[in-house]
């Protein structure tokens, strides 16, 4: 259960100021979400995909290789906020595998929405803002004098009551209504992080 998580963001920052690193749990609020989507090198090195960003000519400087079929790579930057004291915040990175579960979208689906459904994608991302979530963080130092890396290795929305314009569906999903530029209501279905796929948003005409 989320309530059993041993720390909040304030306590966590108190711990790591003494140089601690490792895996930590925290209950936090998502204050902001930004994403980066780019073409990446598909080569495997020592059994792992390179995933370094390729240039406009699909060249990977790390592998000295031109990728004929680059992969897509997605990462999110979350601003995490302490629930009890919003003045305390921390930016953390979410890489592709965890981002897919969090958004209920495969990278290919996300890329398609960027190109073809930007309004619906924006509504989906906005629906994640202000959520209280339980996160598992990998925190480590890049170098002796460099800031710590905060990496989200798992994230799960806290169970909460549905308020305002949000309606709970019979299967436990949450429907979040947002208005688009045409005055229509876009209904975003935000299911649990264990869902395998994201259902495209449904549109319904706004009633006067």
């Amino acid at each position: 259960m989320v309530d059993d998580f041993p720390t909040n963001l304030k306590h966590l920052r108190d711990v790591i100021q003494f140089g601690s690193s490792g895996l930590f749990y925290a209950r936090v609020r998502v204050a902001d979400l930004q994403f980066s989507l780019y073409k990446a090198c598909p080569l495997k090195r020592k059994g792992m995909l390179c995933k370094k960003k390729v240039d406009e000519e699909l060249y990977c400087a790390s592998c000295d290789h031109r990728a004929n079929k680059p992969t897509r790579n997605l990462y999110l930057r979350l601003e995490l906020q302490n629930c009890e004291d919003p003045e305390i915040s921390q930016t953390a990175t979410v890489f592709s595998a965890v981002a897919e579960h969090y958004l209920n979208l495969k990278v290919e689906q996300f890329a398609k929405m960027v190109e073809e459904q930007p309004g619906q994608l924006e509504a989906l991302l906005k629906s994640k803002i202000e959520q209280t979530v339980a996160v598992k963080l990998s925190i480590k130092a890049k170098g002796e004098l460099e800031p710590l890396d905060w990496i989200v290795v798992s994230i799960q929305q806290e169970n909460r009551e549905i308020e305002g314009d949000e309606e709970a569906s019979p299967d436990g999903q949450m429907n979040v209504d947002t208005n688009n530029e045409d005055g229509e209501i876009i209904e975003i279905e935000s299911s649990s992080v264990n869902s395998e796929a994201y259902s495209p948003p449904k549109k319904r005409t706004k009633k006067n």
Side-chain angles (χ1 to χ4, degrees):
M1 297 293 293
V2 173
D3 291 340
D4 295 331
F5 273 58
T7 189
N8 58 33
L9 191 57
K10 181 180 184 302
H11 294 158
L12 183 52
R13 294 184 74 170
D14 289 342
V15 169
I16 65 173
Q17 70 175 331
F18 297 104
S20 298
S21 61
L23 294 174
F24 301 90
Y25 296 88
R27 178 178 176 270
V28 295
R29 182 179 293 110
V30 178
D32 192 26
L33 185 158
Q34 303 293 328
F35 73 87
S36 178
L37 180 70
Y38 58 88
K39 293 179 180 179
C41 177
L43 285 188
K44 281 189 175 182
R45 294 187 297 178
K46 297 181 180 180
M48 298 184 65
L49 291 175
C50 170
K51 289 191 175 181
K52 296 289 186 180
K53 186 176 181 179
V54 297
D55 63 19
E56 294 181 356
E57 296 181 352
L58 306 183
Y59 174 75
C60 173
S62 179
C63 296
D64 189 22
H65 169 78
R66 195 175 307 281
N68 293 325
K69 295 182 179 180
T71 61
R72 291 276 195 170
N73 204 17
L74 167 70
Y75 75 85
L76 309 176
R77 295 287 283 176
L78 301 184
E79 181 185 347
L80 305 179
Q81 199 174 63
N82 196 65
C83 295
E84 293 77 15
D85 185 355
E87 295 297 320
I88 300 174
S89 64
Q90 174 65 48
T91 301
T93 302
V94 186
F95 291 113
S96 285
V98 179
E100 286 182 331
H101 283 287
Y102 180 48
L103 299 175
N104 293 323
L105 281 174
K106 297 297 184 183
V107 173
E108 294 77 11
Q109 293 173 300
F110 189 96
K112 186 175 181 180
M113 290 188 75
V114 168
E115 296 172 357
E116 300 178 8
Q117 300 170 307
Q120 294 177 359
L121 178 60
E122 182 181 4
L124 172 63
L125 298 180
K126 283 185 176 180
S127 74
K128 299 295 183 180
I129 305 299
E130 299 300 326
Q131 285 186 356
T132 300
V133 295
V135 292
K136 182 178 181 181
L137 293 157
S138 172
I139 303 176
K140 58 183 179 180
K142 293 184 290 185
E144 186 175 349
L145 300 178
E146 295 185 53
L148 295 173
D149 266 342
W150 291 60
I151 309 297
V152 176
V153 296
S154 71
I155 181 169
Q156 183 172 347
Q157 181 183 351
E158 179 182 51
N159 293 329
R160 59 189 178 89
E161 293 183 2
I162 307 304
E163 300 177 353
D165 293 331
E166 298 174 353
E167 302 172 344
S169 62
D171 59 359
Q173 293 181 327
M174 180 174 63
N175 301 323
V176 182
D177 287 346
T178 56
N179 293 323
N180 68 6
E181 295 177 354
D182 299 324
E184 295 177 314
I185 292 179
I186 300 174
E187 187 173 280
I188 301 293
E189 295 186 353
S190 178
S191 58
S192 70
V193 294
N194 294 321
S195 296
E196 294 182 356
Y198 167 75
S199 300
K202 303 173 184 177
K203 286 188 177 181
R204 54 187 173 87
T205 304
K206 185 176 182 180
K207 297 180 180 179
N208 295 325

